[in-house]
Every structure is written in C-alpha cells, then in structure tokens.
C-alpha cells in the first residue's frame, strides 16, 4: 500500500497594524497565527490557543506551525 502524501504551502506576510509591524503566518492560504515585535529582543507569537514570547520571528514561526500541527491531528 502506498501512503498518500499531504502537501502544505506555508507563507509569511508582513502587515502594518496601527503602526506596528505584524507577521502573519499562513498554511494553505489560511492564517494560523501572528508574530509581533515587543522590543528589540522579544517578539510575541500568537494563535487561536494562546501566545508565547519568542526571541525571533523564526522561533515564532516554528512555534505557530508546531501548535497548528498538534491541534490539526
């Protein structure tokens, strides 16, 4: 038996929300979370289940995708 593969398109779109830069994370054109800068060294990643302080946009993207995978099983 062959296992059917699922393909996902992941994207990040930078937007401006009331003067604050927000990075929106998308999976298959569906927004699953956002990352906003708190100060020079800290960011906040948020999704439907909550938020987490992260040290970079990359760390925020990883957290959002991991949470999405965990809750979409």
């Amino acid at each position: 038996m062959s296992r059917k593969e699922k393909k996902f398109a992941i994207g990040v779109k930078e937007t401006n929300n009331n003067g604050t830069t927000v990075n929106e994370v998308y999976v298959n054109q569906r927004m699953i979370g956002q990352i906003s800068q708190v100060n020079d060294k800290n960011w906040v990643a948020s999704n439907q289940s909550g938020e987490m302080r992260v040290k970079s946009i990359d760390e925020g993207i990883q957290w959002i995708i991991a949470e999405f995978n965990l809750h979409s099983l």
Side-chain angles (χ1 to χ4, degrees):
M1 276 188 216
S2 71
R3 191 170 119 168
K4 197 172 192 180
E5 292 183 24
K6 291 184 179 180
K7 295 186 179 186
F8 296 96
I10 297 173
V12 178
K13 180 181 177 184
E14 188 176 289
T15 63
N16 191 329
N17 186 6
N18 295 326
T20 303
T21 301
V22 176
N23 293 280
E24 299 173 340
V25 181
Y26 290 85
V27 170
N28 294 337
Q29 299 178 346
R30 176 179 154 211
M31 188 174 72
I32 61 168
Q34 298 180 327
I35 305 160
S36 355
Q37 191 167 10
V38 177
N39 56 39
D40 291 342
K41 296 182 181 180
N42 293 300
W43 301 75
V44 172
S46 59
N47 61 15
Q48 291 179 339
S49 62
E51 65 181 36
M52 179 174 179
R53 286 196 179 268
V54 293
K55 294 182 181 178
S56 68
I57 292 176
D58 290 338
E59 184 181 359
I61 292 169
Q62 290 174 2
W63 179 78
I64 290 170
I65 292 170
E67 286 290 306
F68 172 77
N69 286 333
L70 177 66
H71 296 291
S72 67
L73 294 175

